[in-house]
């Protein structure tokens, strides 16, 4: 859907994204290239934006303590605590500033693929191959066993791939390998709303930061990213341009767009008001899938963790890569920017988490 | 990955293959580590470090195997010779060899599988043929070089596919994902499914779309407005806690602080949502509304939020409380909603559910956003706050990097007593326990 009419007499492979589309000429550093309409629009915007300075980001903290692959992590609203989960069933809460472990729970299942911190900071939720989402209130009482107070909230018919609290501790949104998402009441475990529409496993979800706070986006193995209305359970918009499983979706800070990372080695930006894909972040030298994406606070940077053990930092407006970060010794499985944007944390199959700033 | 490896082996534009010397034997068709790195750097316009990393990954996955030290799957950027692995196409190569040798006397079933494989791996067929020819030649001549090559090839293959115990395997996958075959979840193609599809398409057609160039403009202005507020883009004052080990930044920007920083007060002017999400901002806004005698609007909005995100069991009581306090005729803090919305709301109150106050809440929200909020931004109160708010000084970077500051721990939010949490943990100082 192109919003500018032009005479298309050239049809071929775009010089930027290599898709077969109608092309128009674009001048880049006095060299003429042929871009498709999507890439041309982003290029026009990019021309007017100042380039970012040289980026130096280093690992500032390394959190060691998991005995197996780290699969998921989440930040607490206090900007320094994080919860992380791993393949052997351990879920650990750290104060990542001091690198101390504060709590640890062992789940009765392996491959804990989803974990989340409650907004109040008083509880965590996690789940995986047990098909359930369990909420653990955090307690410092040495006599109490955290596992004793566990509350089983969600019940799916296949593995739990993602979970997230809504604006309060009392509701949880989950995504599962059975192709559905669901909204649950934590106190009673009651199903408040379920969301059907994906044709395959749902791998990720993210809540919209909008004022009316009523939608969320989910991505799945059917290559679709779908936006849902939490109140009615209906799918509001769907986007299907990826060529492989979508591993991660994250909203742009203004709530008008979202980015997705996929096994086809690209990240894409979809705009909700224009109802289409507006940018593709890819490079020929990147051949491994992106497992996790997140935006910086202003939305200018997109951090993406890949299965080739690296993290690429993309300039959202220019569409180009700003820097590549090495450090992990196995694939990066999860990546989140801290709530105040001062750093981001990445978890990897090499058993460690790293905080970068 | 296959695409990269195939282009590497392209005779014209691929990596230069030469006969390499390994001790005294000569190995044909081998490449050096440094050649690989150089080719990757040129072809993809990437840095040397990245090319090194990419090459290492190719070796780890078994596409290239080292000839000198086959036990360690590492790409050395020097003269160590490497070769491309034949992997995966054993069956195809076997059949191709037979075909070449006997010139078309493959038995029927062999011909079938030959054709089938041909269609499946068409893109790599040339590679297969080349490898088959080489293997035949090697078998005939049994040169020492070739035997060495085949030995290394096999070793790498086994290293990649059956790693020794304890070594991490690159071929590990997460638990299987598939298209869900669960039919009771998957909607079968019945009338319902199509009705939903039609409904969806109708809604999609009716939706107004914005020009994508306008949307991109919106991102541009959003990013430039927020650029200075983004610590990773513009840095933060006094210093980024993760870099300097000093948590002064967090102390200054704590959720409830008496003197908010200038950047924070500026943010309240970006959007109404920013103002409401900040506890300090919201408190100041409440004061302002109090002066205008419209504080009940914000209180009503807060009560509705509590209802929407509250526990299911509390919905009836909360709805009732809100009605008594804000909506009933003659209520203590009656909110001014237009009559149509009021009628609809009262109608819905007969069967209370968590979204029953949505219309009223939206009405009040918009009222505050379009009316009270702009006035707040122009008010003396806000201007005064902006003037008072300070910009923190940048802490000088430490000259001696090895004298590290002690990193202070902070009390866990789980320790703070909250009225909601029945198991509010008692006892101070539990923060540093390693569980």
């Amino acid at each position: 859907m192109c919003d500018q009419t032009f005479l298309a007499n050239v049809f071929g492979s775009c010089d930027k994204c290599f898709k077969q589309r109608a092309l128009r000429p674009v001048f880049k550093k006095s060299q003429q290239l042929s871009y498709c309409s999507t890439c041309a629009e982003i290029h026009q915007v990019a021309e007017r934006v100042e380039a970012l300075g040289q980026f130096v980001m280093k690992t500032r903290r390394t959190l060691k303590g998991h005995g197996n692959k780290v699969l998921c992590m989440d930040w607490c609203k206090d900007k320094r605590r994080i919860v992380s989960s791993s393949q052997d069933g351990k879920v650990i809460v750290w104060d990542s500033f001091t690198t101390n472990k504060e709590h640890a729970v062992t789940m009765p299942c392996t491959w804990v693929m989803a974990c989340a911190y409650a907004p109040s900071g008083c509880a965590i939720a996690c789940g995986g191959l047990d098909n359930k989402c369990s909420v653990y209130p955090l307690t410092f009482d040495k006599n109490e066993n955290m596992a004793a107070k566990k509350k089983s909230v969600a019940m799916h018919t296949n593995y739990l791939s993602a979970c997230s609290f809504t604006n309060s501790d009392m509701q949880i949104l989950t995504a599962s390998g059975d192709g559905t998402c669901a909204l649950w009441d934590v106190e009673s475990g009651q199903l408040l709303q379920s969301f059907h529409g994906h044709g395959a496993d749902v791998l990720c979800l993210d809540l919209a930061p909008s004022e009316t706070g009523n939608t969320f986006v989910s991505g799945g193995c059917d290559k679709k990213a779908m936006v849902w209305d939490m109140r009615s359970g209906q799918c509001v918009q769907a986007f299907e341009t990826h060529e492989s499983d979508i591993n991660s979706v994250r909203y742009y800070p203004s709530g008008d767009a979202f980015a997705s990372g996929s096994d086809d080695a690209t990240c894409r930006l979809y705009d909700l008001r224009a109802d289409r894909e507006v940018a593709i972040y890819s490079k020929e030298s990147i051949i491994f899938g992106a497992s996790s994406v997140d935006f910086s606070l202003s939305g200018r940077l997109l951090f993406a963790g890949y299965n080739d053990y690296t993290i690429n930092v993309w300039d959202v407006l220019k569409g180009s890569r700003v820097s590549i970060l090495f450090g992990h010794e196995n694939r990066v499985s999860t990546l989140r920017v801290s709530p105040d944007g001062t750093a981001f944390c990445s978890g990897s199959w090499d058993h460690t988490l790293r905080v970068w700033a | 990955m296959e695409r990269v490896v195939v282009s590497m082996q392209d005779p014209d534009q691929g990596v230069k293959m030469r006969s390499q010397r390994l001790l005294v034997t000569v190995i044909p068709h081998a490449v050096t580590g440094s050649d690989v790195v150089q080719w990757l750097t040129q072809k993809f316009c990437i840095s040397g470090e990245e090319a090194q990393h990419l090459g290492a990954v190719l070796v780890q996955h078994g596409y290239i195997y080292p000839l000198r030290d086959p036990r360690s799957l590492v790409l050395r950027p020097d003269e160590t010779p490497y070769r491309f692995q034949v992997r995966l196409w054993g069956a195809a190569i076997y059949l191709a060899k037979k075909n070449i040798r006997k010139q078309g006397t493959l038995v029927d079933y062999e011909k079938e599988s030959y054709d089938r494989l041909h269609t499946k791996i068409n893109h790599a067929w040339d590679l297969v043929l080349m490898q088959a020819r080489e293997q035949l030649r090697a078998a005939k001549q049994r040169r020492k070089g070739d035997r060495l090559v085949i030995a290394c090839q096999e070793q790498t293959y086994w290293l990649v596919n059956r790693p020794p115990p304890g070594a991490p395997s690159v071929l590990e996958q997460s638990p299987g994902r598939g298209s869900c075959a669960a039919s009771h979840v998957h909607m079968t193609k019945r009338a319902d499914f199509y009705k939903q599809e039609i409904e969806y398409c109708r809604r999609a057609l009716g939706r107004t779309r914005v020009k994508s160039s306008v949307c991109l403009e919106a991102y541009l202005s959003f990013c430039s407005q927020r650029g200075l507020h983004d610590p990773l883009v513009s840095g933060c004052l006094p210093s980024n806690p993760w870099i300097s080990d000093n948590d002064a930044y967090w102390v200054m920007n704590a959720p409830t602080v008496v003197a908010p920083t200038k950047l924070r007060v500026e943010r309240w002017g970006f959007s109404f949502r920013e103002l409401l999400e900040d506890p300090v901002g919201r408190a100041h806004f409440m004061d302002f509304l109090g002066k205008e005698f419209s504080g009940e609007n914000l209180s009503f909005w807060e009560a509705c939020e509590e209802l929407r995100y509250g526990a299911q069991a509390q919905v009836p009581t909360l709805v009732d409380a809100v009605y008594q306090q804000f909506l009933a005729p003659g209520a203590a803090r009656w909110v001014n909603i237009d009559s149509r919305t009021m009628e609809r709301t009262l109608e819905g109150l007969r069967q209370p559910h968590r979204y029953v106050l949505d219309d009223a809440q939206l009405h009040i929200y918009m009222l505050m956003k379009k009316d009270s909020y702009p006035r707040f931004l122009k008010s003396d109160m806000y201007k005064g706050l902006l003037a008072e708010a300070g910009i923190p000084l940048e802490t000088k970077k430490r000259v001696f990097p090895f004298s590290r500051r002690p990193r202070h721990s902070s009390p866990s939010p789980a320790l703070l007593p909250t009225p909601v949490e029945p198991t509010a943990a008692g006892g101070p100082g539990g923060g540093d326990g390693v569980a």
Side-chain angles (χ1 to χ4, degrees):
Chain A
M1 264 189 65
C2 163
D3 56 87
Q4 290 180 29
T5 47
F6 61 96
L7 205 57
N9 36 20
V10 183
F11 192 86
S13 166
C14 168
D15 280 334
K16 183 139 187 264
C17 64
F18 309 107
K19 294 223 177 275
Q20 294 290 322
R21 299 235 173 104
L23 303 176
R24 39 177 148 149
V26 149
F27 290 93
K28 196 170 178 175
K29 291 186 188 136
S30 66
Q31 187 197 6
Q32 180 167 341
L33 298 165
S34 299
Y35 278 0
C36 66
S37 67
T38 321
C39 294
E41 274 169 4
I42 262 267
H43 176 77
Q44 273 168 7
V45 171
E47 297 269 276
R48 296 156 51 194
V49 175
E50 268 173 34
L52 291 167
Q54 212 15 12
F55 254 86
V56 178
M57 287 192 84
K58 290 199 271 211
T59 304
R60 303 290 172 179
R61 302 283 190 277
T62 307
L63 302 176
K64 296 192 200 179
H66 276 291
N68 215 313
K69 311 181 178 71
V70 176
L71 300 175
C72 186
M73 57 89 39
D74 191 16
W75 288 89
C76 176
K77 287 244 159 61
D78 76 346
K79 307 151 197 168
R80 43 193 287 173
R81 283 175 170 76
I82 61 176
V83 62
S84 59
S85 64
S86 74
Q87 182 196 349
D88 58 3
K90 283 235 165 35
V91 178
I92 302 181
V93 175
W94 319 69
D95 176 353
S96 51
F97 190 63
T98 56
T99 69
N100 288 341
K101 300 188 209 25
E102 293 193 340
H103 303 87
V105 180
T106 307
M107 293 272 288
C109 68
T110 57
W111 288 92
V112 186
M113 291 180 263
C115 63
Y117 222 118
S120 67
C122 297
I124 55 169
C126 46
L129 285 185
D130 58 349
N131 302 357
K132 297 198 283 230
C133 184
S134 317
V135 175
Y136 292 86
L138 294 176
T139 168
F140 280 101
D141 195 335
K142 299 276 192 231
N143 296 330
E144 259 188 59
N145 181 9
M146 257 179 74
K149 292 243 162 168
K150 158 178 147 173
K151 237 185 284 199
S152 249
V153 174
M155 295 287 250
H156 280 281
T157 50
N158 208 333
Y159 66 89
L160 196 84
S161 54
C163 67
S164 171
F165 283 91
T166 61
N167 276 15
S168 78
D169 283 14
M170 288 175 269
Q171 288 181 339
I172 277 202
L173 193 57
T174 58
S176 162
D178 63 8
T180 66
C181 300
L183 182 66
W184 309 83
D185 177 62
V186 172
E187 198 60 47
S188 59
Q190 185 189 359
L191 173 67
L192 298 173
Q193 184 63 261
S194 71
F195 307 91
H196 297 260
H198 273 287
D201 308 13
V202 185
L203 295 178
C204 49
L205 58 81
D206 189 33
L207 284 150
S210 83
E211 312 179 279
T212 42
N214 253 339
T215 58
F216 72 95
V217 63
S218 65
C221 287
D222 57 354
K223 311 174 198 165
K224 283 205 276 204
M226 300 174 90
V227 180
W228 306 87
D229 176 357
M230 280 207 282
R231 191 175 154 173
S232 61
Q234 300 240 322
C235 169
V236 174
Q237 286 172 283
F239 303 89
E240 197 171 352
T241 60
H242 268 293
E243 290 155 18
S244 185
D245 304 353
I246 297 181
N247 291 317
S248 171
V249 284
R250 192 70 61 202
Y251 269 95
Y252 187 76
S254 71
D256 292 328
F258 68 91
S260 59
S262 152
D263 275 343
D264 64 3
T266 65
C267 298
R268 292 169 202 242
L269 187 67
Y270 295 95
D271 189 288
L272 296 172
R273 293 180 303 168
D275 204 15
R276 59 181 273 225
E277 173 191 298
V278 290
I280 304 180
Y281 306 103
S282 67
K283 217 169 166 353
E284 266 205 328
S285 60
I286 299 176
I287 49 185
F288 283 84
S291 61
S292 187
V293 296
D294 204 355
F295 283 101
S296 71
L297 207 62
S298 64
R300 182 69 195 267
L301 299 173
L302 178 70
F303 300 101
Y306 288 79
N307 291 343
D308 67 352
Y309 323 166
T310 64
I311 298 170
N312 286 287
V313 184
W314 299 91
D315 182 333
V316 172
L317 297 177
K318 282 197 181 282
S320 58
R321 186 177 65 186
V322 170
S323 106
I324 178 168
L325 304 170
F326 300 96
H328 278 294
E329 288 150 24
N330 206 324
R331 57 164 94 172
V332 178
S333 52
T334 173
L335 191 154
R336 295 290 283 265
V337 172
S338 80
D340 64 349
T342 47
F344 71 89
C345 180
S346 59
S348 156
W349 281 16
D350 67 0
H351 313 346
T352 66
L353 292 121
R354 281 169 188 252
V355 180
W356 308 73
Chain B
M1 255 197 297
E2 262 105 24
R3 186 172 41 88
V4 176
V5 173
V6 167
S7 59
M8 275 172 111
Q9 296 187 286
D10 185 75
D12 298 321
Q13 295 201 349
V15 189
K16 265 186 304 180
M17 286 205 241
R18 300 185 276 261
S19 303
Q20 302 282 345
R21 292 192 72 87
L22 177 67
L23 303 174
V24 281
T25 47
V26 173
I27 318 268
H29 301 300
V31 298
T32 60
S34 53
D35 278 345
V36 172
V37 173
Q38 207 183 31
W39 185 85
L40 284 172
T41 315
Q42 275 181 348
K43 174 109 203 284
F44 294 136
C45 306
I46 52 183
S47 68
E49 197 189 354
E50 197 187 340
Q52 167 78 11
H53 179 88
L54 187 56
V57 163
L58 287 174
V59 171
Q60 277 198 344
H61 281 257
Y63 282 94
I64 309 179
Y65 58 93
L67 287 170
R68 181 140 38 133
D69 201 356
R71 242 171 250 294
S72 92
L73 300 175
V74 161
L75 181 77
R76 274 187 252 277
D78 54 16
E79 297 304 301
T80 323
Y82 292 86
R83 272 196 102 193
F84 292 95
Q85 178 65 288
V86 68
R87 204 178 97 125
L88 300 175
W89 303 313
I93 290 175
Y94 170 71
L95 289 173
K97 277 198 289 197
K98 263 193 122 175
N99 204 13
I100 294 168
R101 255 201 304 219
K102 305 214 174 136
Q103 288 299 327
T105 51
L106 285 176
V107 181
D108 273 335
Y109 73 86
E110 282 181 325
K111 203 148 177 31
E112 249 181 63
S113 29
Y114 184 81
D115 289 332
R116 203 169 7 102
L117 283 168
H118 190 112
T119 39
K120 261 208 214 164
I121 53 178
N122 213 355
H123 61 282
W125 200 248
D126 294 326
L127 200 61
V128 168
L129 281 180
M130 186 181 85
Q131 299 280 9
R133 272 192 215 107
E134 265 201 32
Q135 286 196 11
L136 278 176
R137 204 173 21 91
K140 274 189 207 145
Q141 295 172 347
R142 293 188 199 289
R143 282 184 301 190
K144 181 166 180 210
D146 293 319
R147 269 183 281 138
L148 180 63
V149 158
I150 290 171
C152 289
Q153 223 179 47
E154 298 210 356
Q155 277 223 347
T156 314
Y157 182 76
W158 288 117
L159 257 182
V160 171
N161 286 305
R162 299 263 183 280
S169 165
V170 286
L171 295 180
E172 271 195 274
Q173 300 289 330
S174 15
R177 310 166 176 176
S179 323
C180 60
S183 52
H184 66 279
V185 167
H186 198 98
M187 285 183 283
T188 50
K189 308 242 184 237
R190 289 178 311 213
D192 291 344
F193 174 70
Y194 284 116
K195 276 197 198 128
Q196 282 222 357
E197 282 287 300
I198 293 171
E199 201 32 59
Y200 172 75
C201 290
R202 198 172 286 147
R203 266 184 282 129
L205 282 172
R207 197 163 42 226
T208 44
R209 283 175 182 80
V210 179
K211 279 171 97 164
S212 50
S213 47
V214 171
C215 299
L216 290 172
E217 286 290 322
Y219 303 151
L220 201 60
S221 56
F222 186 87
C223 284
S224 51
Q225 191 188 47
R226 313 270 168 147
L228 290 169
H229 296 251
D230 186 345
L232 290 172
V233 173
S234 323
C236 57
L237 299 169
S239 64
N240 190 321
W242 301 99
I243 301 179
S244 64
D245 282 353
N246 178 358
D247 60 357
Y249 178 76
W250 286 330
V251 173
M252 280 187 219
N253 285 297
T256 45
V257 76
V258 178
T261 60
K262 200 173 200 87
L263 278 178
R264 189 168 171 180
V265 180
E266 267 174 25
R267 270 204 293 273
W268 300 343
F270 288 165
S271 78
F272 190 39
R273 179 163 64 93
E274 286 277 358
L275 177 64
L276 286 184
E277 276 178 2
D278 187 343
V280 177
R282 199 194 278 202
H284 282 296
F285 188 60
M286 183 64 108
D287 283 343
F288 174 76
L289 287 179
K291 295 203 177 111
E292 299 206 327
F293 302 106
S294 45
E296 66 273 1
N297 286 343
L298 188 57
S299 304
F300 175 69
W301 182 84
E302 285 178 343
C304 290
E305 285 284 281
E306 215 185 297
L307 172 69
R308 254 195 331 162
Y309 295 112
Q312 185 68 4
Q314 297 189 315
V315 166
T317 30
L318 276 174
V319 171
D320 203 44
V322 170
Y323 174 74
Q324 294 300 335
Q325 210 183 11
F326 296 101
L327 296 172
R333 310 190 71 188
W334 192 77
V335 281
N336 196 355
I337 313 178
D338 69 290
S339 51
R340 206 157 37 119
T341 316
M342 182 64 103
E343 249 180 66
R344 256 211 311 264
T345 310
L346 292 175
E347 190 56 47
L349 282 177
R350 299 220 195 116
Q351 275 150 345
H353 57 95
R354 67 177 57 237
Y355 299 116
V356 72
L357 295 172
D358 265 12
D359 290 335
Q361 184 185 7
L362 190 62
H363 178 89
I364 293 289
Y365 184 83
M366 282 306 173
L367 189 68
M368 288 194 289
K369 180 174 170 182
K370 300 232 161 84
D371 191 34
S372 317
Y373 176 60
R375 276 209 303 268
F376 172 72
L377 292 181
K378 292 194 206 117
S379 71
D380 291 331
M381 183 194 250
Y382 180 66
K383 293 204 174 112
L385 286 167
L386 255 184
E388 268 172 28
I391 304 176
L393 293 167
E394 183 179 6
T395 48
K396 295 269 188 289
K397 277 219 174 92
R398 305 213 124 220
V399 181
F400 301 107
F402 46 80
S403 62
R404 255 207 354 208
R405 287 190 104 101
R407 297 168 182 166
H408 301 292
S409 59
S410 72
S412 165
L415 271 178
L416 301 169
T418 49
V420 185
E421 184 75 320
T423 57
D432 277 317
V434 175

